[in-house]
Amino acid sequence: MLVAVGRRLPRIATDALGSVFAVATALVAVRALAGVAHTSPYAVEWLGGWRPTGQGDGGVGIALVGDPVSLGLAALTSLLVVAVLVYSWRYFEEPPRRQSGSFPALILLFQAGMCGFCLTGDLFNAFVFFELMGVVAYALTGFRVEERRPLQGALAFGVVGSLGGYAMLLGIGLLYARTGELGLARIGRQLDEGRPDALVLAAFVLVTTGMLVKAAAVPFHFWLPDAHAVAPTPVCLLLSGVMVELGVYGAARVYWTVFAGPGGVPAGTLTRTFLAVGVMTALLGAVMCWQQRHLKRLLAFSTVAHTGLFLVGLGVLTPEGTSGTVLYALAHAGVKAALFACAGILLDRYASVDEHQLYGRARELRLTGGLFLLGGLALCGLPPFGTSLGKAVAEEAAGHTAHWLVVLFVLVSAVMGGAVLRAGLRIFAGAGARARGEEPAGSARTQGDEDPETRTRLRRIPATMLAVPAVLLAASLAIGLVPELAAFAGRAGHLFASHEIYAAAVLDGRPAPQHAGQVP
C-alpha cells in the first residue's frame, strides 16, 4: 500500500503510516508473548485448519508455532522495526528517483519475513521466509542504487546469501526424500523411528550451512562487514540487531526439533562442530574488530564475534547454555542497534565514520558520546547490563564442557568492548595521540569518506535520533536488572531445548508438563 500510494503522499504521511503499521504489529507480538508467558507455553495454529489426523494425511498442514523463544524473537524484531522507523523519521533521504514510501515499505516487508521465519513450524516455509528476508535485505543494502559502493555491497551479499539458500534447499530435498514430510515436528518424529546415517548427516550439514551463512559465521562471514559499510544506518540496526541472531536461532531450532532424536545427529558431533565454528568465528571477529578504524565495519566485526559466542553457548547443548544465549542475544540486539544509531549521527553530522578523521571532532556531542561509551561498556559485559547476565550464564554452561571456553568469553568480549571504547574516547574526547599522518579536523575530505544520509549535514541532532539509542540501551539495562525477564528466559531456554515437548505440543496437542521449563 505504501508503494502504491507513496508518490501521492507527503513524506511525513508515509513515515507516519509505516510507523503505525509497525507499532500495531509490535503490540500484537508482545501480546502473544505475554499469552505464552502466563498460559500455555506453546501456541499452535494450523493454517486452513489442516490439523494432523494420524491417518496418512502426510505433510499437508502448515503450522505456525509460538513458543517463548520464537515469539520473543518476533517481538524483538517488531520493536526494533519501530525503533528503525522512528530513528529515520523524516531525516532519511530516499534517492530522488525513488518513489516516496519505498523505504518504510521495504522495512515492513523485512519485518514480515523475519517474523514469519520465527513462527513457522514448516521447514520449507522457513526457507521461503528466510529468502524473502534475504531479498529485502539485499534491496535495503543497495538502497542507494545510483551509487557504486552500495550496489557492490548488495551484490556480494546477494551472491553469498543465494549460495546459502541453495545449500538449505538441497538439504530440505534430502529430508523430504527420506521422510515425505516438511513440518519440523513431523520430520523429527519420522527420523526418531530410524537410525542416523550419511543422508541424514548430509541434510543436516546443508540446512545448517544455509542458516550459518545468514548468521555470518566463519567462513561465511565476509559479506557482513561489506554490507554494513555501505548499507543505510537504519538498515544496519536490523542486520546486526536481529537478522544475524535469526540465523543462529534457525540452526538451533532445526537441530532441536528435527535432528535431536535417536535418528538424527549425535550430540557429540554437533557439540564439536558448533564449538569449532563458534571459537573460530569469535576469535576472528574480535581480532578484526580491533583492527578497524571504520566505525560501521568495527561494529560489524563485533557482530561476527558475538555470533561465535552464541554458537558456543548453544553448542554445549544444555538448557542453561540455551537460556544464557537467549538473554545474551536479546541484550546484544539493543546494545548493537544503539551503537549503530550513534554511528549514524556521526555520519550525518561530519560525513565520516572514520575513527582517525573524527579524532576529537565530536566533543560537542556529549549525549551521543555518553551513549556510545555506555554501549562499549555493555559490549564488555559490564554489570548490570543484560549482556553481562546473559554472558555469565552462557559462559558458566560452556565452562562445564571445557574450562577454557570461559576464557574465550571474557577475552572476546573485552577486545570487542575495548575497540568500541577506544574509538569512542578518541572521537568524543580526543583521547590518545593523533595517528601519524592523520589530517587535522576541518581538512578537505579524503577519498573513502562517506556521504551523509541527509540532504545536508546535520547541524542540530533530531530528538528522535537521540531517543532511539537511549531507549535501546535502557532496555538492555532492564534485561539485566528485572528478575522476571531473566527467569522467563530461563524457562524459555529449557522449553526450546526439548525435542519431545515440541513434537507433542505441535502434533498431539498436548500441553507442556507442569515441570517443563522450571529452572532451579
Side-chain angles (χ1 to χ4, degrees):
M1 185 171 101
L2 281 172
V3 175
V5 303
R7 67 175 68 184
R8 298 180 178 87
L9 295 176
R11 176 64 191 273
I12 189 173
T14 59
D15 283 349
L17 195 57
S19 299
V20 167
F21 285 134
V23 170
T25 307
L27 291 175
V28 171
V30 171
R31 181 177 180 181
L33 179 61
V36 299
H38 295 99
T39 56
S40 173
Y42 280 97
V44 182
E45 179 69 28
W46 288 89
L47 299 183
W50 288 91
R51 297 179 177 274
T53 63
Q55 299 176 1
D57 55 350
V60 175
I62 297 175
L64 296 179
V65 184
D67 63 277
V69 171
S70 61
L71 280 172
L73 279 173
L76 171 65
T77 298
S78 301
L79 292 172
L80 274 182
V81 166
V82 173
V84 165
L85 292 176
V86 171
Y87 180 81
S88 57
W89 178 267
R90 299 188 65 184
Y91 102 93
F92 181 75
E93 297 295 337
E94 299 189 15
R97 286 178 288 178
R98 185 91 56 189
Q99 294 179 2
S100 176
S102 61
F103 179 75
L106 285 173
I107 290 292
L108 291 176
L109 191 58
F110 197 21
Q111 176 189 15
M114 290 188 287
C115 290
F117 178 77
C118 292
L119 299 177
T120 184
D122 185 272
L123 188 54
F124 184 77
N125 278 271
F127 165 77
V128 172
F129 281 121
F130 219 21
E131 288 307 296
L132 172 63
M133 188 196 321
V135 169
V136 180
Y138 311 151
L140 287 170
T141 300
F143 191 69
R144 296 185 178 275
V145 71
E146 292 83 0
E147 303 173 16
R148 186 181 63 180
R149 292 175 63 241
L151 193 60
Q152 291 174 339
L155 182 62
F157 185 7
V159 170
V160 177
S162 296
L163 293 175
Y166 295 147
M168 184 176 175
L169 186 60
L170 182 57
I172 293 172
L174 292 178
L175 287 173
Y176 185 72
R178 165 58 62 86
T179 64
E181 303 286 356
L182 290 173
L184 293 171
R186 286 175 171 273
I187 297 173
R189 186 163 284 184
Q190 287 281 351
L191 293 181
D192 290 347
E193 299 174 357
R195 300 181 62 182
D197 55 23
L199 186 147
V200 173
L201 183 59
F204 171 76
V205 170
L206 289 168
V207 173
T208 305
T209 296
M211 300 291 185
L212 294 184
V213 167
K214 290 293 195 296
V218 169
F220 315 113
H221 66 284
F222 48 86
W223 66 265
L224 186 67
D226 292 342
H228 278 69
V230 298
T233 300
V235 178
C236 294
L237 270 68
L238 289 176
L239 291 180
S240 267
V242 70
M243 180 177 172
V244 167
E245 284 86 342
L246 288 185
V248 179
Y249 160 82
R253 170 63 83 192
V254 167
Y255 170 74
W256 285 114
T257 57
V258 175
F259 296 101
V265 177
T269 300
L270 180 73
T271 295
R272 289 190 293 271
T273 302
F274 269 29
L275 290 186
V277 175
V279 169
M280 289 190 296
T281 303
L283 291 177
L284 185 141
V287 171
M288 293 301 296
C289 176
W290 183 263
Q291 298 296 322
Q292 303 304 307
R293 52 184 278 189
H294 188 287
L295 282 186
K296 292 172 77 174
R297 291 182 67 89
L298 185 154
L299 295 175
F301 275 112
S302 169
T303 299
V304 172
H306 273 108
T307 294
L309 296 182
F310 297 156
L311 288 173
V312 170
L314 292 172
V316 298
L317 299 184
T318 63
E320 291 77 18
T322 303
S323 301
T325 304
V326 168
L327 268 177
Y328 201 1
L330 185 63
H332 164 265
V335 172
K336 188 59 60 66
L339 287 169
F340 271 111
C342 293
I345 292 174
L346 292 173
L347 173 62
D348 296 317
R349 181 63 173 260
Y350 303 106
S352 176
V353 286
D354 186 280
E355 176 186 336
H356 293 179
Q357 293 178 8
L358 290 174
Y359 177 83
R361 293 176 62 184
R363 288 187 178 95
E364 57 188 337
L365 302 180
R366 296 182 179 179
L367 180 55
T368 305
L371 293 173
F372 193 87
L373 293 175
L374 276 178
L377 294 174
L379 284 189
C380 289
L382 183 73
F385 285 96
T387 48
S388 171
L389 179 60
K391 181 174 75 70
V393 176
E395 72 184 17
E396 181 178 357
H400 293 307
T401 300
H403 295 301
W404 58 268
L405 290 175
V406 176
V407 178
L408 175 77
F409 273 85
V410 174
L411 177 64
V412 170
S413 58
V415 172
M416 290 186 299
V420 173
L421 291 173
R422 178 204 70 203
L425 289 172
R426 286 175 60 79
I427 293 170
F428 293 100
R434 186 185 297 274
R436 184 174 300 177
E438 181 177 331
E439 296 183 354
S443 62
R445 292 179 61 191
T446 61
Q447 185 176 4
D449 276 341
E450 310 291 329
D451 290 322
E453 294 162 344
T454 52
R455 186 169 301 167
T456 58
R457 295 193 192 184
L458 292 178
R459 300 191 179 279
R460 176 180 170 275
I461 308 301
T464 52
M465 295 183 71
L466 290 170
V468 166
V471 171
L472 290 172
L473 285 174
S476 178
L477 189 65
I479 293 170
L481 291 176
V482 179
E484 289 77 10
L485 289 176
F488 179 67
R491 294 192 298 271
H494 280 65
L495 285 168
F496 184 81
S498 176
H499 177 74
E500 295 79 9
I501 292 178
Y502 180 91
V506 175
L507 299 179
D508 305 327
R510 294 203 303 265
Q514 291 296 323
H515 65 276
Q518 296 297 324
V519 183

